[in-house]
Every structure is written in structure tokens, then in C-alpha cells.
Amino acid sequence: MDDIQDRLSENELASFFQDLADAAGQIALTYFRSDIDFERKQDLSPVTIADRAIEQELRRLISERFPAHGILGEETGSTPGDRYTWYLDPIDGTKSFISGMPLFGTLIALADERKGAVIAGMIDMPALAERWYGTPDGTTFNDAPAKVSRAVNLEDAQIYTSSPDFFSPEDWERYDALSRKAMFRRFGGDCYQYGLLASGHCDLVVESSLKSFDFMALAPVNRPRSTMGNLWLMNS
């Protein structure tokens, strides 16, 4: 299979990511703060009709444009491809979405499985109209260059994690010891905290037990661009 980066310009690929995020956001905002039901998945995490509708539409758009590409989504599982795989989390932060909190987003990533590299990733926050797009060349926030924090010492850092509930007792003990050495620590935000990280509003995010569709989009948005390195994933 040809190298996708030989066939598509950087602008064309970025434009397709924008189209995907626009489609996802339109569906999400249709259901957001409405009388929406949810079900419990096998792991007890919630899922809504919006999660499934977004993933279905993203799969349709990707398959039409790149029929040979694989797709791995949180709600529908894996569709094998030849070389490239799209990783989709239609609504990251479903609990926020259900409860009317705008800190939910859509995560989209494209990986070259032959090279073992993520080509591009996007964090889109439709209720906030905020969007991060990352490639090896850098990260943009709403189409302008994003700049990370200048902090270099842990005692000067603002450290984030989504929830204490996501850690095993052993990992929580490690995180608690680390985070208490920071300037201050914050909880909550799901994928939004990684956007804040990319834009320099926090200095370090530590998470545990993420799945591939959770973190593949975060990696290119938060490639190490500062002294601290920014992103730690434990047991992922």
C-alpha cells in the first residue's frame, strides 16, 4: 500500500480530520443536555445513543474515503485494514456528557501500523468549540500553534488526572505520592485535560489503564515539547 503521506498533503489530511470532528460534534450537540438514556457496558461504563451514532458516522466517512484502512472504535470494535488504522473514541467523558457537563470530547487518531507510528491525532471539544490537532510537526489549538508550559520542576507543576477511581490501589499510592510533591493537583476533565496540557495550562497528566482508543489521539497532540515531558501513562 502506498504511503498515505505521499498521496495526501498535510492540509488535506488535516481537513479530513476537521470534517470528521465536525460530523461528530454535530451529533453530540444534538443529544447533549437532552433527555437521553444510557446503558451499562460489560465493564459498567455508560454508553448512549450518541456514542454509537457518532462512531457509526465516523466509520462511514472513513470507509468511503479510505476503504482499505482499518478502524478500531470503542463501541463497535475492530475492522482490520491493510496498513493504516483509525482509532476512535466517539465520546470520551460519557459521564460528563450524560450529566450536562461540557468537558467531553471526541478522540480521533490515524496510525501507520507498518511504521508503528501515529500520523495525526485530534481532541475535539464540541460543547466548548475547542479543538487540538497534533502531528510530528507540532500541535495547533483552533488552528493556531499550541504552546506547552515552561515548568521544569515537579514542585512548580500543576498535575492532573481524571479520577482516583481509575487507579488500582497500588497505582493510586504511586500517584498520590507523586502528585503531593507538585504545586497543586486537580481531578476531572477526561480528554480535556490533555488539551490543557498541550496549551500549557497544566504541566503533567498521569493516567492508568487506558485503552488504545483512549490514548492514540493524545500522543501526537502531546508529543514531548517541554523539559517535563508532560504525559505519563501507567500500565497502558
Side-chain angles (χ1 to χ4, degrees), residues 4-69:
I4 189 173
Q5 291 165 301
D6 292 336
R7 295 186 290 112
L8 281 182
S9 70
E10 292 182 5
N11 287 339
E12 287 173 321
L13 184 60
S15 178
F16 185 62
F17 267 82
Q18 301 278 3
D19 290 344
L20 294 176
D22 287 345
Q26 183 175 1
I27 296 170
L29 294 179
T30 298
Y31 290 101
F32 183 51
R33 292 178 177 170
S34 66
D35 186 15
I36 188 171
D37 293 326
F38 67 91
E39 302 172 8
R40 292 282 186 182
K41 294 188 285 189
Q42 190 172 2
D43 64 0
L44 300 183
S45 63
V47 61
T48 71
I49 188 174
D51 295 82
R52 291 171 173 151
I54 290 170
E55 184 166 323
Q56 182 179 11
E57 178 63 7
L58 295 184
R59 284 176 172 271
R60 184 188 70 80
L61 293 170
I62 292 167
S63 297
E64 285 183 356
R65 184 72 179 273
F66 303 109
H69 287 195

Side-chain angles (χ1 to χ4, degrees), residues 35 38-39 47 54 61 69 118 121 123 169 193 199 209 223 228 232:
D35 186 15
F38 67 91
E39 302 172 8
V47 61
I54 290 170
L61 293 170
H69 287 195
V118 184
I123 303 170
Q193 61 193 343
S199 288
S209 304
R223 294 182 194 275
M228 292 199 72
W232 291 7

Side-chain angles (χ1 to χ4, degrees), residues 119-130:
I119 296 171
M122 179 170 281
I123 303 170
D124 184 58
M125 309 295 296
L128 302 176
E130 296 185 358

Side-chain angles (χ1 to χ4, degrees), residues 93-124:
T94 301
K95 292 178 182 178
S96 292
F97 181 80
I98 293 168
S99 61
M101 183 178 292
L103 303 183
F104 66 90
T106 296
L107 301 178
I108 305 168
L110 174 62
D112 184 339
E113 306 294 357
R114 183 183 300 172
K115 294 182 178 180
V118 184
I119 296 171
M122 179 170 281
I123 303 170
D124 184 58

